[in-house]
Amino acid sequence: MLKVFNEFDRDAALLAEFDAVIKCYSASCVFADAQYRQGAMDSEIKPAFRAKVAGQALTVQLSPGDLVDPLKALEMGRPGDLIVVDAGGDRQTSVVGGLMGGLAKNRGIRGMVVDGAGRDIDELEELGWPIWTRAITARGTHTMFSERKEELSINVPIQCGGVPVQPGDFIVADTIGVVVVPLAQARNVVAKAREQAEREQKTREWVTRGKTVEDLLKEFGRI
């Protein structure tokens, strides 16, 4: 159903915990491992340029075959949000570009993940506003001609990259990939991710000191 517009509760304190943990190497991997390899989106969804971000999901459901730019999401977005769009996997029509990125950045929205396509990545990289998509294409939607802005739903359950996403779920996205952390499990998962990141850093320090596989297994019980 289109034209459904909901809100969700933000948790700034919990988001700050995610921000602290993702400073580690390979943040998406750490959060996938902390969920027993669950929550990782399809590997085809990749960043347009090097980036790393965490945020709460402002979800967008588009209509496959009748895509519009999700401009309504910019009106509803808040600082710390990460827009997550189900565009039906369409690789031929972009639903996000440079002007939208600039407007979103002005509102404190941290980036966008699209099960679909984007464009204007030269401008987006200069802005420092990251997108993760299945494809990059020059072809845009008809929104700029038709002025249609509401043929979509905001903050409803969606699928993105093969993973269910609920409004307010936490998203960790980096150069490697995108991972969804369900809101109900977020506090437990971020604690496990912190422990894993710290353990991996200790292991990394041992490696730089010339330790062997046997040394690592004896000290940590795993690699």
Side-chain angles (χ1 to χ4, degrees), residues 96-114:
V96 59
L99 295 178
M100 188 183 300
L103 292 168
K105 185 176 181 180
N106 288 345
R107 292 187 64 84
I109 299 169
R110 295 184 169 190
M112 186 181 292
V113 178
V114 184

Side-chain angles (χ1 to χ4, degrees), residues 185-201:
Q185 303 167 25
R187 199 169 300 280
N188 181 53
V189 171
V190 75
K192 289 184 176 179
R194 184 185 301 108
E195 291 172 2
Q196 175 156 331
E198 291 173 352
R199 182 172 57 248
E200 288 186 357
Q201 182 57 31

